[in-house]
Amino acid sequence: DAGVTQSPTHLIKTRGQQVTLRCSPKSGHDTVSWYQQALGQGPQFIFQYYEEEERQRGNFPDRFSGHQFPNYSSELNVNALLLGDSALYLCASSLTGGRNKNIQYFGAGTRLSVL
Amino acid sequence: RKEVEQDPGPFNVPEGATVAFNCTYSNSASQSFFWYRQDCRKEPKLLMSVYSSGNEDGRFTAQLNRASQYISLLIRDSKLSDSATYLCVVTPNNNDMRFGAGTRLTVKP
């Protein structure tokens, strides 16, 4: 049973560039959430996708956008990268309406460095 | 005030010790509560859910006090393998999770 998988594992970009991160949810899950974790901090909620739509959004600028595909996988796009976007980006999946609907399972993350 | 606040530690304890972590949250309408564990440079992993009635899983006990908006985690008989950062998590609705900054624990021989 595959868990949450993310790609790539590491990425180096320069300021102003754009980046796309990918996530495949745990088998049987239909909901994907994205988080940003800066060094020494807890993960910060970016947004959540369900039924191919953004269902909830945290306090992140419009430079952060996403998409969910019919197979429930998801992408996170960040435009006009800033140095402060350097962080670990975590994807988490869950099952909406399931018995444990609030429990999210995390992928290993993509470590983004912006130079 | 942060939505979820934790004592950052670090907590340095000897093997076999009992250690307790506390967490407070600001949104009284929060619905679900969890403790996650995160090892260095790894993803967070669910340790346990937290219920008002309290719950226990082996050496770990979690408590929730909704009136005080307070969550706790107690680890008994600490093992070296318990060394990690413990994240307090609150869900203000059914969708997103709000994390504390984490409490770092080091268990020493």
Side-chain angles (χ1 to χ4, degrees):
Chain A
D1 178 19
V4 181
T5 59
Q6 292 186 243
S7 63
T9 55
H10 294 82
L11 204 51
I12 299 175
K13 292 285 188 179
T14 57
R15 279 182 299 175
Q17 284 189 310
Q18 179 264 345
V19 67
T20 297
L21 311 181
R22 295 176 176 82
C23 172
S24 291
K26 181 178 168 67
S27 178
H29 285 182
D30 58 6
T31 304
V32 174
S33 303
W34 287 93
Y35 294 82
Q36 180 194 66
Q37 186 174 23
L39 200 62
Q41 299 297 316
Q44 299 296 309
F45 175 71
I46 303 174
F47 42 54
Q48 184 180 82
Y49 277 83
Y50 172 66
E51 292 188 336
E52 302 180 48
E53 291 189 356
E54 183 182 290
R55 177 161 68 178
Q56 186 99 17
R57 188 178 184 94
N59 189 26
F60 278 79
D62 291 344
R63 297 187 298 108
F64 289 76
S65 64
H67 190 78
Q68 186 179 34
F69 300 93
N71 67 352
Y72 308 119
S73 66
S74 177
E75 288 182 350
L76 164 65
N77 301 293
V78 187
N79 294 322
L81 284 167
L82 304 174
L83 296 179
D85 294 332
S86 295
L88 178 67
Y89 287 85
L90 293 161
C91 170
S93 75
S94 55
L95 177 61
T96 292
R99 180 170 177 268
N100 296 315
K101 60 181 181 293
N102 291 334
I103 295 178
Q104 298 185 9
Y105 296 87
F106 286 82
T110 294
R111 192 164 297 278
L112 173 65
S113 298
V114 182
L115 305 178
Chain B
R1 182 184 174 188
K2 292 182 179 178
E3 286 188 87
V4 182
E5 295 205 59
Q6 294 182 247
D7 180 346
F11 285 66
N12 298 306
V13 303
E15 272 187 291
T18 295
V19 61
F21 304 140
N22 303 319
C23 168
T24 58
Y25 60 95
S26 61
N27 187 339
S28 60
S30 296
Q31 299 181 8
S32 301
F33 309 87
F34 307 94
W35 283 99
Y36 275 71
R37 169 196 169 125
Q38 187 171 27
D39 292 289
C40 188
R41 302 185 74 83
K42 299 286 189 181
E43 73 273 23
K45 293 185 177 179
L46 178 67
L47 180 64
M48 58 198 308
S49 301
V50 189
Y51 306 112
S52 296
S53 56
N55 50 308
E56 185 174 315
D57 182 3
R59 298 181 293 108
F60 300 84
T61 301
Q63 294 277 355
L64 166 65
N65 184 322
R66 284 188 181 269
S68 301
Q69 295 178 210
Y70 171 92
I71 305 163
S72 65
L73 176 68
L74 183 75
I75 304 175
R76 292 181 298 278
D77 189 23
S78 299
K79 310 292 185 190
L80 296 177
S81 58
D82 293 334
S83 297
T85 295
Y86 291 82
L87 297 162
C88 176
V89 183
V90 172
T91 59
N93 49 55
N94 284 332
N95 301 331
D96 61 293
M97 287 184 159
R98 304 302 167 101
F99 285 77
T103 298
R104 187 170 174 183
L105 171 66
T106 301
V107 181
K108 299 185 174 181

